[in-house]
Amino acid sequence: MHTLASILCAVLLLGAPVAGAADATDYELTTLGQALLEAGGPWFTQETEHFVCRALSESEAKTAADEAEFAYRNACVYLGAEPALRRGHLFVVNDRALWGQVLQGADRRKDSLAVQSRNDVFVLKNGGGVSDAMHLPHEIVHFRLWQQYGDGVPVWLDEGLAGYVGWVVADAYQSQKGTQLVRTLPQLAPEELMPLDELTAVSEYPEGEEAIQAFCRQAEELIRAIAERRGDAKLGGLAKAVAAEKVPWREYLRSRMGYSSDDFGRLSDLVRTRAQEGEGW
């Protein structure tokens, strides 16, 4: 059970990674970020401890900065509080034409309404609702994982953690504003399901939106099931072991979380069952 109080308490106990003193590298953009900066504007900028935030209005820049800091600090509760060497760049866009001109198709994850490219994060505001509320925290998790482990994060782990932790953080952020989020997850057909070893062996996102959606749903359910068994606090250790130390995920669950052969069977059954259910959690 996740509550805003428990998350904020964890932030206070663990602290948050503190970026080093700002220098020239704080303002370097990816090629994609530079292209968006030049194609749109005028941009309004809001700087925070961990981000340089840009939006097409001053109010949007301030709101994005607040949400990004909340998401980042709370993501660190789950993923580790190692200091970051530099700040990230966040672009919030509410112009569909501009998004389509520069960013459409830049990232094959999900619906391409949000993109994380190395040190840059891009989010399209699409009229509000649950989708908008989830995009930024989801991408901040991807960003934090990249900060810590670069390109070493397996696709299933990257997407599973972004889905699970991103949702919990989004829910906490909206709760403090008096809004309760409810989402409906894609209900998968039996033929869309993958054995866990096949799921965790995927090295690139599959072709097609439905296939990506099915993959992401199962990856998130796998992370959710692991977190429920041993607690959210274990997710950072899992990420570090698999992404940095290259420990096979089954070996980590067996040696560090006490999984038996029967437990792995139950884990597989649980992921399959839940992935076929459509209600949110």
Side-chain angles (χ1 to χ4, degrees), residues 90-124:
L90 170 63
F91 287 86
V92 176
V93 182
N94 59 7
D95 183 333
R96 273 192 165 275
L98 176 61
W99 185 272
Q101 175 187 345
V102 180
L103 294 165
Q104 192 70 44
D107 192 333
R108 292 176 55 201
R109 287 181 292 213
K110 294 195 173 181
D111 50 14
S112 294
L113 298 180
V115 176
Q116 176 262 325
S117 176
R118 303 184 71 79
N119 214 57
D120 294 353
V121 176
F122 310 87
V123 176
L124 174 65

Side-chain angles (χ1 to χ4, degrees), residues 2 46 68 83 95 114 125 148 153 180-181 191 226 230 233 235:
H2 305 279
Q46 186 80 17
D95 183 333
K125 289 298 182 181
Q148 293 175 288
V153 189
Q180 182 178 4
L181 292 182
E191 59 269 20
I226 293 171
R230 287 292 183 261
L235 294 179

Side-chain angles (χ1 to χ4, degrees), residues 76-94:
C76 291
V77 174
Y78 295 88
L79 303 177
E82 295 84 356
L85 297 178
R86 53 170 293 190
R87 291 184 292 178
H89 288 264
L90 170 63
F91 287 86
V92 176
V93 182
N94 59 7

Side-chain angles (χ1 to χ4, degrees), residues 12-31:
L12 292 173
L13 289 173
L14 294 178
V18 178
D23 58 28
T25 63
D26 261 6
Y27 301 96
E28 292 176 358
L29 293 169
T30 63
T31 301

Side-chain angles (χ1 to χ4, degrees), residues 203-219:
S203 59
E204 294 183 359
Y205 286 88
E207 295 286 346
E209 185 175 334
E210 290 185 359
I212 294 173
Q213 188 178 66
F215 169 78
C216 292
R217 173 72 198 276
Q218 292 170 88

